[in-house]
Amino acid sequence: MPDRKTTLRDVARAANLSLAAVSMALNRHPNIPPSTRRAVEAVAARLGYDRNYRVSELMSYVRGSRNNGYHETLGYISSHPLHAIPHWQKPYLEGARREAERLRCKLDVFWCEEPRMSKRRLSDILTGRGIRGLLIAPLLDRKNDLPLTWGRFTSVALGYSLARPSIHRVLNHHYNTILLAMTKLVERGYRRIALALEPVNQWSVNHLWKAAYIAGLEILELPRPALCFIETFDPAKFHHWYLKHKPDAIIANDSTYYKALHQRGLNAPENFGIVSLTVKEEADKVLSRVDQNHAEEGATAIRLIVGELLHNEIGVPAIRQTVMLDSIWIEGETVRPLLRSPV
């Protein structure tokens, strides 16, 4: 057994190649010929080189260094055109910044919708700042791609909205989130449970909220047909829909659905129960809700970016990783008290 762990430098020396070439070969970079890659992999295996050891060693350095400066500047890319982070996106950024600080990194915000911001220009700005790692915020207005030269960066997207290219992503487990909300309502005696969303909400979660709702009706043995209000929100139209279908509980995207009924003399939980899927509410009551843990999604994405950088994994990955986080039930004032043991 060797007295010390084999390092990347040992592999480079034995293979008679540069450190950069060996790192690229072990990460299967397309610029390295297959014959060279196989030769390097054979040398690494013969010497017992452990990539996981190298990563843990570098992570220890990042976390434990006494240097007061930052080790890496990362970029948070927003597609919002007004230089203002939407309120529902703020937890992503706050969680990402806290985790970046913990890992001795800095997170700067960049706006990809600046006037005359081309693919080349934004990528050059980032490269000029020495930024290699990017966290892509959820895209707005049904955008599904961004003007970046992706081969230069290690990138992780939040949510489903970035369709191209196929980079790693971190998001809420939207399917489980709806099942959690439905289960909590059933435990409180509700049976006619409805789902109220706008089409853009469906698009942003890859249609998983409605899919989970339909499955939940069967799993929880609830009456059918499904009660879905999925259209552009209009208070009068939603009130009319409610009076027609008479659900006893509603899982809604935000507090506007509660307000539409409350302003017309209906109260929760006296007349109906309602569960919100939104991070922050502005209403006269604390809405019962599911917390999608957006701050932890941001933190998880930063850890993934740093890990990829330590592996020298740059560019679009061959196989995308999708990391899903579960939601947490938050007790509020808009559903009845618990009637029976949890399902």
Side-chain angles (χ1 to χ4, degrees):
M1 292 288 290
D3 293 332
R4 65 178 180 83
K5 292 286 187 178
T6 300
T7 67
L8 194 67
R9 191 175 299 278
D10 295 327
V11 178
R13 188 180 299 114
N16 196 28
L17 292 169
S18 68
L19 276 172
V22 168
S23 176
M24 292 169 70
L26 291 176
N27 287 297
R28 303 193 170 190
H29 195 282
N31 289 347
I32 300 297
S35 59
T36 302
R37 174 173 55 79
R38 288 192 292 269
V40 171
E41 289 173 346
V43 171
R46 174 168 56 81
L47 296 179
Y49 175 66
D50 184 353
R51 291 178 65 192
N52 289 333
Y53 163 74
R54 181 63 178 156
V55 171
S56 64
E57 180 183 53
L58 288 170
M59 284 299 290
S60 177
Y61 168 75
V62 169
R63 291 171 176 162
S65 172
R66 295 179 181 178
N67 182 356
N68 290 326
Y70 293 110
H71 294 295
E72 188 93 31
T73 298
L74 309 174
Y76 182 92
I77 310 300
S78 173
S79 64
H80 199 279
L82 304 178
H83 274 226
I85 303 295
H87 75 88
W88 58 272
Q89 284 193 16
K90 288 180 179 178
Y92 292 118
L93 180 57
E94 292 165 359
R97 276 188 165 149
R98 283 196 299 269
E99 188 65 11
E101 290 280 348
R102 190 180 74 84
L103 297 178
R104 307 207 59 76
C105 296
K106 184 181 180 182
L107 185 64
D108 288 343
V109 178
F110 294 86
W111 310 91
C112 64
E113 292 297 323
E114 292 269 16
R116 299 180 298 279
M117 183 63 77
S118 67
K119 173 180 179 179
R120 174 77 177 268
R121 183 163 180 255
L122 179 56
S123 299
D124 286 349
I125 289 172
L126 294 166
T127 302
R129 292 276 301 273
I131 292 173
R132 302 185 301 153
L134 302 181
L135 177 54
I136 312 300
L139 305 183
L140 303 181
D141 301 325
R142 289 184 178 266
K143 285 177 63 69
N144 57 17
D145 57 11
L146 283 180
L148 288 173
T149 307
W150 295 98
R152 300 183 188 180
F153 309 104
T154 292
S155 308
V156 174
L158 293 168
Y160 284 109
S161 56
L162 183 68
R164 298 179 299 273
S166 182
I167 62 174
H168 300 320
R169 58 191 179 194
V170 176
L171 48 108
N172 177 256
H173 199 315
H174 300 105
Y175 191 93
N176 281 2
T177 291
I178 294 296
L179 292 182
L180 172 64
M182 295 180 77
T183 299
K184 293 297 183 181
L185 288 170
V186 168
E187 290 170 0
R188 287 154 178 77
Y190 295 102
R191 298 289 296 168
R192 288 181 54 78
I193 299 173
L195 182 68
L197 309 167
E198 294 199 65
V200 68
N201 306 137
Q202 273 285 84
W203 167 79
S204 68
V205 301
N206 203 27
H207 301 272
L208 287 172
W209 278 347
K210 184 177 179 181
Y213 168 75
I214 298 298
L217 294 177
E218 180 177 348
I219 293 169
L220 297 170
E221 299 179 344
L222 296 174
R224 272 151 287 185
L227 302 176
C228 295
F229 183 84
I230 301 179
E231 53 186 274
T232 301
F233 181 73
D234 176 87
K237 187 178 294 186
F238 175 65
H239 179 241
H240 176 77
W241 176 90
Y242 170 83
L243 294 178
K244 177 180 178 180
H245 295 282
K246 294 184 173 56
D248 59 6
I250 304 164
I251 300 170
N253 182 64
D254 56 39
S255 63
T256 55
Y257 298 86
Y258 163 78
K259 293 175 183 177
L261 299 182
H262 180 67
Q263 291 167 359
R264 289 163 174 77
L266 297 164
N267 294 310
E270 295 83 0
N271 304 117
F272 65 96
I274 189 164
V275 174
S276 173
L277 300 168
T278 297
V279 175
K280 184 180 179 182
E281 297 296 347
E282 295 180 2
D284 65 323
K285 286 186 176 183
V286 177
L287 269 66
S288 305
R289 64 186 178 90
V290 285
D291 183 346
Q292 296 182 52
N293 284 318
H294 289 329
E296 184 56 30
E297 289 176 48
T300 300
I302 292 296
R303 289 194 291 273
L304 182 53
I305 291 169
V306 171
E308 291 292 283
L309 288 174
L310 293 175
H311 273 98
N312 197 30
E313 297 278 7
I314 306 295
V316 178
I319 299 177
R320 173 170 59 193
Q321 297 180 49
T322 298
V323 182
M324 294 184 176
L325 278 65
D326 279 329
S327 296
I328 299 172
W329 173 256
I330 304 296
E331 202 68 59
E333 302 173 335
T334 55
V335 297
R336 296 191 291 251
L338 189 68
L339 297 180
R340 60 189 177 94
S341 300
V343 174

